[in-house]
Amino acid sequence: MLLTVIVPCYNEEEALHFFYREMEKVIGMMQDVEFELLFVNDGSRDKTLEQVKEMAERDKRVKYVSFSRNFGKEAAIYAGLQYAGGDMVCIMDADLQDPPSLLPEMYRVIVEEGYDSVATRRVSRKGEPPIRSFFARMFYRIINKISKTDIVDGARDYRLMTRAFVDALLELGEYNRFSKGLFGWVGFSTKWLEFENVERVAGETKWSFWKLFMYSIEGIVAFSTVPLSLASFGGVIMCGISALAIIFIIVRQILYGGSAYGWPSMVCIMIFLGGIQLLCVGILGSYLSRMYLEVKKRPIYICKETNTTKNEGN
Ligand code: UDP
Ligand code: MG
């Protein structure tokens, strides 16, 4: 039984040796499993790659894939899945925010309880800026209302999967990737484990508020077309309101005459409608631009160097 642990790394030189040490403990606890540690260097600008290479020289279980530039965590996960050779595959952050100590339990659940994947979610967000937690909560509430795919609040990308699950994920070769949704989309049986939020061991988060915001838009556009129907819905309501207003004005003209007033309100209404139209065009545009990127069929990442090979069949 070979278990691949995919570790996306972007500027993680400070965290890597903590991660490796922690991982060794876990590997020691799981004697009946063979391990492969697959580091995906996502265009780091620090010594991450050198460190990984050093580890690979000392330890035959360490494999790496190194990108030509920063392609983002989603691309790193996809590359990891493509290069993973294991019968089971796990995705884990390099900063120990995904506690490796959960791995034996996750493994047990798959082997003994027959699940296809074990996912994790954090039940608290302590140590996180409150405003970020607030927006995160709101995002999950909105997306679960407007998308058929179940996207769990607080879900991490930390997950152990069987080969069948991984192969299904690899079939989804879309360019704009939102893994939390893709995991749900492929189906299979998933058990959720919960844990308390852990703070980063070293280094700092790579996600600015703006980056997270854009990522949430990615999630909504990738997993729901409700915003598109919102435009037509808004249109219908506006038509209804204006029809009533027209009737009101005609009746008023007949009864009292002198309807040549109300220019300021007219201007307000025009600006309002103009705004709504721009908003709807913008929504259309965000779907269209993603279609454009998808149609170009650019690769999701470019591998510059590696010490392993892609899986057969992918
Ligand atoms: N990461 C990556 N590429 C990126 C950003 C992040 O591979 O462009 C990796 C990063 O090295 C880490 C994981 O994704 O292993 C999670 O990143 P981070 O800890 O910064 O996110 P947070 O835990 O704050 O959500
Ligand atoms: Mg982190």
Side-chain angles (χ1 to χ4, degrees):
M1 176 66 79
L2 179 67
L3 196 160
T4 304
V5 181
I6 299 172
V7 192
C9 303
Y10 177 51
N11 296 345
E12 297 287 5
E13 61 176 5
E14 289 162 61
L16 266 186
H17 61 279
F18 289 110
F19 176 81
Y20 184 72
R21 213 179 310 149
E22 206 55 34
M23 212 49 228
E24 279 208 305
K25 278 188 216 153
V26 173
I27 292 175
M29 281 157 63
M30 297 169 72
Q31 292 295 348
D32 51 336
V33 189
E34 212 183 306
F35 271 87
E36 174 185 61
L37 296 180
L38 178 57
F39 291 92
V40 183
N41 173 37
D42 185 10
S44 301
R45 272 179 287 243
D46 61 2
K47 297 256 180 305
T48 303
L49 182 60
E50 282 86 339
Q51 285 190 2
V52 171
K53 280 183 175 166
E54 235 170 67
M55 277 192 249
E57 258 167 42
R58 274 185 281 119
D59 186 342
K60 284 278 148 290
R61 295 169 301 192
V62 174
K63 301 281 180 344
Y64 65 86
V65 176
S66 182
F67 289 178
S68 59
R69 65 168 169 86
N70 180 251
F71 281 90
K73 188 184 179 190
E74 292 291 343
I77 291 176
Y78 187 68
L81 294 173
Q82 281 193 328
Y83 279 84
D87 307 302
M88 279 191 204
V89 177
C90 176
I91 300 168
M92 208 188 278
D93 282 3
D95 58 4
L96 292 180
Q97 278 190 302
D98 297 336
S101 51
L102 278 180
L103 195 55
E105 168 65 8
M106 292 161 85
Y107 177 74
R108 193 195 63 74
V109 167
I110 287 198
V111 172
E112 287 175 18
E113 297 180 24
Y115 282 93
D116 299 298
S117 89
V118 182
T120 58
R121 62 183 283 258
R122 46 182 183 174
V123 283
S124 67
R125 288 177 173 272
K126 75 170 174 354
E128 201 184 54
I131 193 162
R132 183 184 276 202
S133 306
F134 171 76
F135 277 104
R137 290 243 159 72
M138 223 163 66
F139 165 71
Y140 284 110
R141 200 169 308 153
I142 291 175
I143 197 157
N144 277 315
K145 279 239 164 70
I146 63 179
S147 163
K148 287 197 195 81
T149 309
D150 198 22
I151 294 166
V152 177
D153 186 3
R156 306 279 308 170
D157 291 327
Y158 185 22
R159 183 183 273 265
L160 182 65
M161 300 162 276
T162 58
R163 186 36 56 190
F165 194 99
V166 172
D167 287 343
L169 278 180
L170 285 172
E171 302 244 337
L172 306 176
E174 57 204 77
Y175 182 80
N176 296 291
R177 304 186 72 77
F178 184 70
S179 284
K180 288 181 174 64
L182 298 177
F183 291 145
W185 191 91
V186 295
F188 291 96
S189 53
T190 297
K191 178 164 181 171
W192 288 89
L193 299 183
E194 300 183 340
F195 68 92
E196 292 282 324
N197 191 29
V198 188
E199 289 191 45
R200 230 173 199 286
V201 277
E204 54 195 41
T205 176
K206 313 297 178 305
W207 294 88
S208 62
F209 186 80
W210 180 244
K211 232 172 144 185
L212 272 178
F213 180 73
M214 294 313 283
Y215 185 59
S216 68
I217 302 266
E218 191 70 64
I220 290 175
V221 173
F223 281 92
S224 169
T225 49
V226 168
L228 283 176
S229 8
L230 229 55
S232 15
F233 184 68
V236 169
I237 298 226
M238 285 292 155
C239 280
I241 293 176
S242 64
L244 289 179
I246 288 170
I247 293 172
F248 170 76
I249 287 173
I250 291 176
V251 171
R252 192 178 62 178
Q253 173 67 19
I254 292 170
L255 294 184
Y256 306 104
S259 60
Y261 43 75
W263 291 110
S265 52
M266 186 69 127
V267 170
C268 291
I269 290 169
M270 273 163 68
I271 293 177
F272 177 66
L273 286 183
I276 290 199
Q277 278 171 1
L278 279 183
L279 178 74
C280 294
V281 172
I283 292 175
L284 268 178
S286 61
Y287 282 87
L288 196 71
S289 65
R290 277 168 185 83
M291 263 168 70
Y292 176 57
L293 288 173
E294 213 66 68
V295 164
K296 280 200 276 196
K297 287 239 170 291
R298 286 196 182 150
I300 294 168
Y301 63 91
I302 290 172
C303 172
K304 189 171 160 201
E305 52 178 309
T306 173
N307 67 347
T308 178
T309 49
K310 252 192 210 179
N311 239 321
E312 299 283 314
N314 303 315

